[in-house]
Structures are given as structure tokens and as C-alpha cells.
Amino acid sequence: MGFGCNVPAIMATRTLESRKDRLLTTLIIPFISCSARLPVYVLFISAFFVKNGGLVLVSIYLIGITVAVLTSLLLKRVFFRKEEAPFVMELPPYRVPTTRNVVRHMWGKGAQYLKKMGNVILIASVLIWVLGHYPLAKPGMSAAEQQENSYIGRLGKAVEPAIRPLGFDWQVGVSLITGFAAKEVVVSTMAVLAGNGQTPIEVNGDGEADEAARFSTLKENLKTRAYTYGPRAGQPVFSPLVAYALMIFILIYVPCIAVITAIWREAGWRWALFSVFYTTGMAWLLAFAVYRIGMIFV
């Protein structure tokens, strides 16, 4: 289930009778690549891995599965040394579902999800929107310049020293921060920061931007984007190696606010905080290893 969305996968751990098994499964689910990460993979694979995109995408999913398995073995040794209990689950009698029962259960589960996640997601989304839109843009300021001078742009520059060893700049830092709300937001943030201010986007007769042209423009701008200051000023930010390291980082680092909330609800706030720091630390180490080892062979 986690390949679709981590939230219902975490909620499904209630079927496990052992608390140890529920906690262990809950903590490794965020390493399973959900569908929200897929737009990020598609963007970078289509831009930097045209010839072997399929293999690159499969490798990303395999790395997530491998990290989940290794994490489960580690956590079992450190936190869950108790004897394993056999998994026994009584299966209910199977009957042909009726429309009334399907709609009723769908409504009930949907309302339960919105009640549990809606408040936190709404607050987080509003907070990120405020950080990204204030201070207000000055007359003549472009969208990219406004984002750079916004509060979230300043946060991106604040975390840049931590992600610079991975080959990332402050704009990637901003994208990673906004990705905490939802992973697909990483792409839209990059479109504002790295794309639209460099190459104009063609529009159709109705005045709406053509999505294919927008996507193609964003890919080209990512390829040509360069560092704006520092010892690497003028050098390209992205290369196939940096793009792959970034995909690994997005795969592993802190899951979205909905997943953290689900972990909080199911396992408690201590395990939710543990998940935040453990996933982010693991993402940094893996991305650092990929980038530094790759630099030896490039």
C-alpha cells in the first residue's frame, strides 16, 4: 500500500496485533516510494537520464526497499529484541459487496482520514504559503526574485551549508522545505525558482500555459542553471550525478506532514520525531555517499 500512499499503509498497521510489529512496520513505511515522489523522478530522469531512464527509476525503488529492510533489521536489534510472535489473522467471510455498504464505508473512512489529517495539513500548507509569499514582492520583482527574498527563501539559504556537500544549492533547499507539505510540491517550487524566470513559456490561444511546453522549459532551465555566488559561481548546479543524489535524498528524507501526522497518531510523538531525524539523517548520508563516490569516477 505504501507505493500508493504511505498514510493508508501506516493506518493499515492496526491489523497487526503485536505493538512491536506495528511500530516497526510504521517506521519503515516512509522509505517506500509513494506516488507523490514520482513527478520528481520523472522530471529529473527525463532531463538527465534519457537513454536509461527505466533502469534509473527501478534503482530508486530498489534503494528504498533495501533501506527499509536494513532499517527493520537495525531497529529489531536496537529497540525490538523481544521474541517474535507468529502472525495469525482471522479472515472474515467473503461476500459480494453491496453499493450501500461500499458507499457507507468509503464515507466513514474518508471522513476519518480528513478528520485526522486535515487540520494538520491545512495548518502546514498555510504556514508554507505565508513563508513563500511574504514579504510581499516589490514593484517590478519577478516571481523567482520574490521567492528568493521570501522567508522560505531565507530558510533555504540558511540550510544551504548543510546540503552544499551533496552538490545542492539554496534553491534545492527551498524545494526540500516545501516538499515537507507534499513531495510533488518540489517540482512546482523548482518551476518558480529555477525555470520561469529564464526562458519564456509559450501559451496557447486561450492564454493558458501549455503543460508540455512548461515541463520542457523547466527541464532545459535545470540543465543550464548555475550557481549565483560562492566559489562555484557560474558552474552548473545540476548534473546527472547531482540529479541522482537529489532523487535519493527525496526518496529517503523526512516524509510529508500527512505521514508524520499518521505516525504521531498511531505510534506517538516520540516515534514521529525519531522518524523525522532518522530519515533525514539517512537521506543525507546516502546522498553524500552517492555524490562523493560518483565524483571519483566522473
Side-chain angles (χ1 to χ4, degrees), residues 55-210:
L55 293 176
V56 172
L57 182 60
V58 170
S59 71
I60 295 293
Y61 278 85
L62 291 179
I63 288 173
I65 295 172
T66 302
V67 172
V69 172
L70 296 178
T71 297
S72 67
L73 296 176
L74 174 64
L75 294 181
K76 285 178 69 174
R77 288 180 175 271
V78 177
F79 297 111
F80 308 108
R81 297 181 180 178
K82 193 175 69 172
E83 290 282 332
E84 292 187 7
F87 175 70
V88 179
M89 184 174 65
E90 181 180 355
L91 295 176
Y94 289 97
R95 298 185 178 89
V96 178
T98 63
T99 303
R100 179 182 177 183
N101 286 337
V102 170
V103 173
R104 183 176 63 183
H105 285 291
M106 183 173 61
W107 178 270
K109 296 301 181 181
Q112 183 183 24
Y113 174 83
L114 292 176
K115 182 179 179 180
K116 280 195 169 186
M117 308 299 170
N119 293 336
V120 178
I121 294 174
L122 177 62
I123 294 173
S125 300
V126 171
L127 178 60
I128 290 176
W129 183 89
V130 171
L131 293 175
H133 286 76
Y134 288 93
L136 295 175
K138 298 179 180 179
M141 183 180 291
S142 66
E145 292 173 336
Q146 192 277 329
Q147 281 278 20
E148 180 178 355
N149 291 281
S150 66
Y151 295 125
I152 203 166
R154 298 172 188 177
L155 286 175
K157 292 184 177 180
V159 302
E160 185 179 17
I163 60 177
R164 181 59 70 88
L166 313 180
F168 308 156
D169 66 345
W170 71 269
Q171 294 185 0
V172 175
V174 172
S175 301
L176 294 175
I177 293 173
T178 58
F180 184 54
K183 290 296 179 285
E184 60 268 29
V185 178
V186 171
V187 175
S188 59
T189 303
M190 287 187 173
V192 173
L193 292 175
N196 299 346
Q198 296 181 24
T199 305
I201 297 177
E202 297 180 2
V203 297
N204 58 27
D206 297 329
E208 298 178 356
D210 180 75

Side-chain angles (χ1 to χ4, degrees), residues 13 16 18-26 80 84-85 87:
T13 59
L16 302 175
S18 170
R19 174 171 170 79
K20 179 201 72 172
D21 293 338
R22 289 198 301 270
L23 288 175
L24 186 58
T25 308
T26 297
F80 308 108
E84 292 187 7
F87 175 70

